[in-house]
Amino acid sequence: MLEAIFLSEGVAPPSREIISLPELQLYIADFGTQQADVAVVAEVDNKIVGAAWSRIVKDYGHIDERTPLLSVQKANYAGEWYLKMGFKIVKENKEDYVMVCDL
């Protein structure tokens, strides 16, 4: 999870203890035990360069029982990439977009 956290320029990485916060357990507790849990890690020269995971969760980004959560911080350059790849913004708040791509 730490590898996938987007950090704005000048922001220090969080400590490993962040993953024990109760509000984050919804996304990571027993990951892999729910039917729709999926994760991928990208490596270049045996170094992790990216990670992504999806899980169906009932939080602010919840769409329905068949659509995994995909949110991205507005400051994250990946949001532009998602738009170019066909994702559409379906919800937003001050800091994040919730995006969906019909496959």
Side-chain angles (χ1 to χ4, degrees), residues 1-3 13-21:
M1 178 175 185
L2 288 174
E3 288 79 8
S15 69
R16 282 195 127 348
E17 287 76 36
I18 193 172
I19 62 174
S20 63
L21 293 174

Side-chain angles (χ1 to χ4, degrees), residues 1 15 20 30 36 42 59 61 68 70 93-95 98-99 102-103:
M1 178 175 185
S15 69
S20 63
D30 300 318
D59 69 352
L70 177 50
N93 63 27
K94 181 180 172 186
E95 298 179 4
V98 174
M99 304 176 96
D102 291 323
L103 301 177

